[in-house]
Amino acid sequence: EITKSDIYADRYYVGRTPETLILCDLDTQKVSEIEWIATGKEKFYFDNPTVCMVFSGGELSVVQYGENEVIGQVRTEHMNPHLISTRISEPDEKKQIKKIAFLLDEQSVRIIDLMQNIDATISHTAKIDWLELNLRGSKLLFRDSRRTLHLYDIEDDTRITLLNFCDYAQWVPGSDAVVAQSRDILYVWYRIEQTDEVVTRDIKGDIEEIEKLENGRTQVVVNEGLNRVQYLLDGDLIAFDTALDDMQLVRAMQIMEQMDEKQVLKKGPKGESTRKGNAEDGTYELGDSEKSRDAMWMQLAAIAVKAQEFQIAERAYAALGDVSKARVMSKLDRLVKENGGADHYLVQAQIAIHHRQFRKAEAIYMEQGRVDCALNMYRRLFKWGDALNLARSQNHPKLADLAAEYFSYLLSTDQQEIAGKLKEQEGDYVQALNLYLQGGYPAEAARVVTQQRLTNDSQLLEKIADRLLQKELYSKAGKFLENLNYNQRALDAYLKGNSFREAVDLCRRVFPARVVQLQEQWGDYLASQNQMDAACAHYIEAGQNMKAIDAAIRAKQWKKAVQGLDNVDEKLAQPYLKRIAQHYRSEGELDLAERYYVQGSFYIDAVRMYFEQALWDKAHSIALTYLSEDIVQKLYVSNAKELESRGKLKDATELYIKVQEVDLAIHMYKKNRQYDEMIDLVSKYRQESLKDTHHELGVQFEREGNFRRAEQHYLASKKWQPAVDMYREQEMWEDALRVAKKEGGVVEYKKTAFYFAISVGGDAGFEFLTKRGLGELAVQYAIENAQFPEAFHIATKTCKHKLADVHYQFALALEDEGHFERAEEEFIKANKPKEAIDMYTHQHQWDDAMRVASTHDPISITSVYEEQGRVAQEQKNFKGAENFYINAKKPESAIKMYQDNNQWQEAIRVGRNHVPHLVSQIETDHHTYMANTSDSNTLDYRRSQARLMESREKYSEAIEQYLAIDERMCPDKSELEKLLENAWTLAQRFVPHRGNEVASKVAGRLAKMNKHKKAAQILQAAGLERKAVEILAEGRHYGIARQLASKAAPDLLRKVDEAHQEQLVNEGDTDKLSEINPSAAIEMYANKGEWDKVYQLASKQSKSMVIKCAAMHAELEIKNGDLDRAVKILVKWGAKAEGNNCGAYVRIARAVLDDTSTSSKTKNSIVPDSHIGLIQVLRQVMSSGGNIGGEEKEELEKLRRAAHFSSLRRRCEELKLDKLVMKQSVSILRFSDVLPLDVSFYHAGETCRQQNKREMAFVFFNRFIDICDYIQDDDMDIDETEFVHTDIPSVHSREITRKLNFDEPAVEDIREWALEAGMSDISNELPPENVDSVEQVCSLDPLRATIAAANFQNAL
């Protein structure tokens, strides 16, 4: 039994049973039921359309739709959708992938292969805030809190950093390309394996999304504030890399050929490129596949050779213009065909040769016993050494011939060096020496002479030495001469060649006295070569300390320079000490810089160094230690003035304070008009002058006309009256009142407003009050002080709507004073005649009450008669009461009066005269009474028994007898009231323990008799104040109830007010209700449709209330069908995400967008005002900063974009931009769940047909026809196979109105066109329903490939 069901995102169903969990994708109709013990705290995530993720108790369970078991469970506490990534393939895909990446902790990522149960863990040094697997689950992109973007290769277990700062990163849908943003630069990696191959582009905004277009291309949308710019990705690069990853080499070759064809078409008549950098519509292209063409052909060739697809490799090399390799591939292809496959040894040997694996080729030939083939290979490649070695190892008979051929080849090609080595190997050293000298290789000749000790021929030796010197091989010449014991000549050769190391070594053995001199020369040489570090060491060896120190400083070997200065005179060391100090100063090592400044007596430099770093204490310490007081004073003041001139006033202040020149600092701030800083200094160092300073500044600002600043300082000086006087002198009365209210309180504020108006007099004072909205405040003040003439005067001039209130209050005051006639006049002027009537009835002045009722409120005449009747009845004047009841047209009341007083004949008489239809009922009641009545149930009996019990002091029994008397026994209410009061008096005096009980019963009886005040008095006397409050509220005596509740039961005040408000609502007294509960009054006005009053009252409450009312008003207009007015209301009064407003805005937006009256059906439409206003409203809601839920935010953004694209399409129609109209019409299909469904597909099809996009028009018109048929026949089912893998919403994702927006002829025209197109070639060009291979899908154009991919998802 299913115990609970939920629907998420209008697509996913979750059902619960006691032991299982049911998950269903309603779009794909795949259902999973897994074993599950529900806790009630499960959280479901549907970000991945193939799986549902269930989070419960720190454990994440992954369920694939259609599978009845959990495919994986992991533990994680991080359930942010940006911190979990899954890649789950469909069951019908060839290559199954089931991988998940999630956070173990904030700095660790775990990747689990759910099929092979293999995992990998990435430990990072910073918090990870985003991660995502690529399409194949082989690579992971993640970003840390330092905004560094990393790429992790799961298979190779390698990680690299792509960007050191990343604002945005995303895999391009359907590929392994990556798009990222770092500040103002857009990065695109088309082939992520080659991370150094990246396309960059400067942008001016932020990446908004990566969008797949209908034509198969992909674009990056950048929001530049007012504009949205699209950057098209190179589709050829993406498709090429995808084909290589899937080893679709034929598809890759076709892509490259198409690219070459495009390149030819883009060339002008002279071969010059005609390609434009930017599109005229604001779309830019990212990447240039032309520049990558050769690299892409080379990559294809390498992969094709590795895969032994030699025809493709031949095509690739031909495209590159590499004729030789193309011929090799052609030869390999021919060998494969001739020898029955690529496994033949000739083919394998040629492949090895192509890859320059000559040893491998030799081994292949040798395995087959083809020595001659191997020798010929080496000869063709001119690898004679390898050929000779192979011939020697095999004792080949043609070895000598081969060697002779090789030697002749070397001589003919002037390769004397190699020929000499060949003769050297044969032991013919003399010929080898001649060949070396002949070829210009004297160094080789010298080596042979040295190694073989051929020193007999002195002429030859001199010749070799001369050749070495001629070739400027001085080091080798020196070594050669040194070996021949020609030491002086060798030393000269070494020095000439700057070979000082060999020269020093020779001098240490032969000329020791010259070693020191050579060390200095060596140092000079190194210094000339800017090798200062090495030069320093040789200067030290030569004892040249000053040169060593200079070299150390130039080499930035500061420690070595400092060590060298220890043995140098102070005067000589000073320049070097200053340079060393300046170095440490630039490096920020201020302590070392200070040491060497001080050591070199550069004290002022040290102080200024600390000045620059704002280290005032250290600067002051040095100044006091090494400098005189006068110098310190002058130095600080001069530097402070310099800092002041440079605008660094804060630093200058520090210097002034250090030398006790606070007044200079104060004057500096005053001169620079930085009064806040000046006040800070005065409050800190001159506290006694603070108030005077504030007052002086107030006077100064007042004189300058800066009254706001003057007010601030007057108030800071604790004197607010000058501020009020200032504003009054300037006739800035609003500010004067503001200060008076803030500083003097509300009483002072009212008083100021009132007396100001009186003092100004005439229209000027009242105009002042009106302009500033103070009229009501002044009127209220006058009323509170019983100054009614002034109240009338002010109200007449400033707020006439308050006149009624003044008359009413004046009337109440007159009534309290007993001036009833004047009170009557004021009640009438206040339009409250009912109050005058009540006043007279309370005084029993019946003639006056009747006069007022007849003149001003005829409806109340009956109530006057009825009240007179009640009074007469209470006075036992039954005849008079009867006449009054009859005049009040209340004969029933007269009948009841007689019945209650056992005067049945009089009751029957009244019934016969006035209500004959009640006579039978009266007679029946009379007979019943007579039959049931005995002596014990009569008034006399009960009253006598009660008095008897009183005389016997049986008070409790007496109380019961009194309480037993009801209205039936005693029709005289005044008599009954007295009897009930007797019961209460007895309980109060003699049976106090029954006081509460008796008081409650008596009060209840009295309340039924409409004696609520009396009932409340009894309850109050019994200490039952809470019940007394409730009785008074029930009797509508709210004033008395509030007074009693405020004293005895404050928690009931709210209940009393609510009852009062309910009464006012029922009576429709909106004016009085607005004074008590503005919100309820607003609702009442709204129900009446008085929206001007609604906004007037709401504006007095808050801006949020106005916005809430506007949303309510707009929804009402939507229900009434006035969409334009609804949107205009929101534009006028504003919109904000508060409370339930978001839901209202969604409903309004959906109604406006789905309205067919604003949906263009022709190309002559214009942008409706409702759509323009709706965009403004939704932007205002999204930017209002309110608390918007995730789903509401997505819905609002979706509706805003729908309105934006709809308006943009219509604007393009006006401007005759037909191509853009087509693109916009197709793009708008993403929002067909909020726009008119049939109209949306009609526009998409019609614009595609006009742009000769017949395939797309065919698809969209087919859907349009299906929708029209579905609207007319709800039993029909729509096949959505073609759109299931697109972002076009399902037809069933929305409620479809059963009304066509097109007439039948228009639908039939489209149906005939679609039928004609379906019978033409277009039907044959559409993709097959089922494809068998990726190659079939990749051979289609983008639109058809998109449709076919629904049945073969591995294709892209």
Coordinates of all heavy atoms in Angstrom, one line a residue, residues 663 666 678-679 681-697 713 716-717:
D663 N 48.3 71.3 17.8 CA 47.6 72.4 17.2 C 47.9 72.6 15.8 O 47.0 73.0 15.0 CB 48.0 73.7 18.0 CG 47.5 73.7 19.4 OD1 46.5 73.0 19.7 OD2 48.1 74.4 20.3
I666 N 45.6 70.1 14.1 CA 44.2 70.6 14.1 C 44.1 71.6 13.1 O 43.1 71.6 12.3 CB 43.9 71.1 15.5 CG1 43.9 69.9 16.5 CG2 42.5 71.7 15.5 CD1 43.7 70.3 18.0
M678 N 39.5 66.6 12.5 CA 39.8 67.7 13.4 C 39.1 67.5 14.7 O 39.7 67.7 15.8 CB 39.3 69.1 12.7 CG 39.4 70.3 13.7 SD 38.6 71.7 12.9 CE 38.5 72.8 14.3
I679 N 37.8 67.1 14.7 CA 37.1 66.9 15.9 C 37.7 65.7 16.7 O 37.7 65.7 17.9 CB 35.6 66.6 15.6 CG1 34.9 67.9 15.0 CG2 34.8 66.1 16.7 CD1 34.8 69.0 16.1
L681 N 40.8 64.9 16.8 CA 42.0 65.3 17.5 C 41.6 66.2 18.7 O 42.2 66.1 19.8 CB 42.9 66.1 16.6 CG 43.7 65.3 15.6 CD1 44.5 66.3 14.7 CD2 44.6 64.3 16.2
V682 N 40.6 67.1 18.5 CA 40.2 67.9 19.6 C 39.6 67.1 20.8 O 39.9 67.3 22.0 CB 39.1 68.9 19.2 CG1 38.6 69.7 20.3 CG2 39.7 69.9 18.1
S683 N 38.8 66.1 20.5 CA 38.2 65.2 21.5 C 39.3 64.4 22.3 O 39.1 64.1 23.4 CB 37.2 64.3 20.9 OG 37.8 63.4 20.0
K684 N 40.4 64.2 21.6 CA 41.4 63.3 22.2 C 42.4 64.2 23.0 O 42.9 63.8 24.0 CB 42.1 62.5 21.1 CG 43.1 61.5 21.6 CD 43.6 60.6 20.5 CE 44.6 59.5 21.0 NZ 45.1 58.7 20.0
Y685 N 42.8 65.3 22.4 CA 43.9 66.1 23.0 C 43.4 67.5 23.6 O 44.1 68.1 24.4 CB 45.0 66.4 22.0 CG 45.6 65.1 21.5 CD1 45.3 64.6 20.3 CD2 46.6 64.5 22.3 CE1 45.9 63.4 19.8 CE2 47.2 63.4 21.8 CZ 46.9 62.8 20.6 OH 47.5 61.7 20.1
R686 N 42.2 67.9 23.2 CA 41.7 69.2 23.7 C 40.3 69.0 24.1 O 39.4 69.7 23.6 CB 41.9 70.3 22.6 CG 43.3 70.6 22.1 CD 44.1 71.3 23.2 NE 45.4 71.7 22.6 CZ 46.5 70.9 22.7 NH1 46.4 69.8 23.4 NH2 47.6 71.4 22.2
Q687 N 40.0 68.1 25.0 CA 38.6 67.8 25.4 C 37.8 68.9 25.9 O 36.6 69.1 25.7 CB 38.7 66.6 26.4 CG 37.3 66.1 26.9 CD 36.6 65.4 25.8 OE1 37.2 64.7 25.0 NE2 35.3 65.6 25.7
E688 N 38.5 69.8 26.6 CA 37.8 71.0 27.2 C 37.3 71.9 26.2 O 36.4 72.7 26.5 CB 38.8 71.7 28.2 CG 39.9 72.5 27.5 CD 41.1 71.5 27.1 OE1 41.0 70.3 27.4 OE2 42.1 72.0 26.5
S689 N 37.8 71.9 25.0 CA 37.3 72.8 23.9 C 36.4 72.1 22.9 O 36.0 72.7 21.9 CB 38.5 73.4 23.1 OG 39.4 74.0 24.0
L690 N 36.0 70.9 23.2 CA 35.2 70.1 22.2 C 33.9 70.8 21.9 O 33.5 71.0 20.7 CB 35.0 68.7 22.7 CG 34.3 67.8 21.7 CD1 35.0 67.7 20.4 CD2 34.1 66.4 22.4
K691 N 33.1 71.1 23.0 CA 31.7 71.7 22.7 C 31.9 73.0 22.0 O 31.1 73.3 21.1 CB 31.0 71.8 24.0 CG 30.6 70.5 24.7 CD 29.8 70.8 25.9 CE 29.3 69.4 26.6 NZ 28.6 69.6 27.8
D692 N 32.8 73.8 22.4 CA 33.0 75.1 21.8 C 33.4 75.0 20.3 O 33.0 75.7 19.5 CB 34.1 75.9 22.5 CG 33.6 76.3 23.9 OD1 32.4 76.4 24.1 OD2 34.5 76.6 24.8
T693 N 34.2 74.0 20.1 CA 34.6 73.7 18.7 C 33.4 73.3 17.8 O 33.3 73.8 16.7 CB 35.7 72.6 18.6 OG1 36.8 72.9 19.5 CG2 36.1 72.3 17.2
H694 N 32.6 72.4 18.4 CA 31.4 72.0 17.6 C 30.5 73.3 17.4 O 30.0 73.4 16.3 CB 30.6 71.0 18.4 CG 31.1 69.6 18.3 ND1 31.1 69.0 17.0 CD2 31.5 68.7 19.1 CE1 31.5 67.7 17.2 NE2 31.8 67.5 18.4
H695 N 30.4 74.1 18.4 CA 29.5 75.3 18.2 C 30.1 76.2 17.2 O 29.4 76.8 16.3 CB 29.3 76.0 19.6 CG 28.3 77.1 19.5 ND1 28.6 78.4 19.2 CD2 27.0 77.1 19.7 CE1 27.6 79.1 19.2 NE2 26.5 78.4 19.5
E696 N 31.4 76.4 17.2 CA 32.1 77.3 16.2 C 31.9 76.7 14.8 O 31.6 77.5 13.9 CB 33.5 77.4 16.6 CG 33.8 78.3 17.8 CD 35.3 78.3 18.1 OE1 36.1 77.7 17.3 OE2 35.7 78.8 19.2
L697 N 32.0 75.4 14.7 CA 31.8 74.8 13.4 C 30.4 75.0 12.9 O 30.1 75.2 11.7 CB 32.2 73.3 13.4 CG 33.7 73.1 13.5 CD1 34.0 71.6 13.6 CD2 34.4 73.6 12.3
H713 N 26.7 69.8 14.1 CA 27.6 70.3 15.1 C 26.8 71.0 16.2 O 27.3 71.0 17.4 CB 28.6 71.3 14.4 CG 29.6 70.6 13.6 ND1 30.6 69.8 14.1 CD2 29.7 70.4 12.3 CE1 31.3 69.3 13.2 NE2 30.8 69.6 12.0
A716 N 25.8 68.2 18.4 CA 27.0 67.7 19.1 C 27.4 68.6 20.2 O 28.0 68.1 21.2 CB 28.1 67.5 18.1
S717 N 27.1 69.8 20.1 CA 27.5 70.8 21.2 C 26.4 70.8 22.3 O 26.5 71.6 23.2 CB 27.7 72.2 20.7 OG 26.4 72.7 20.2

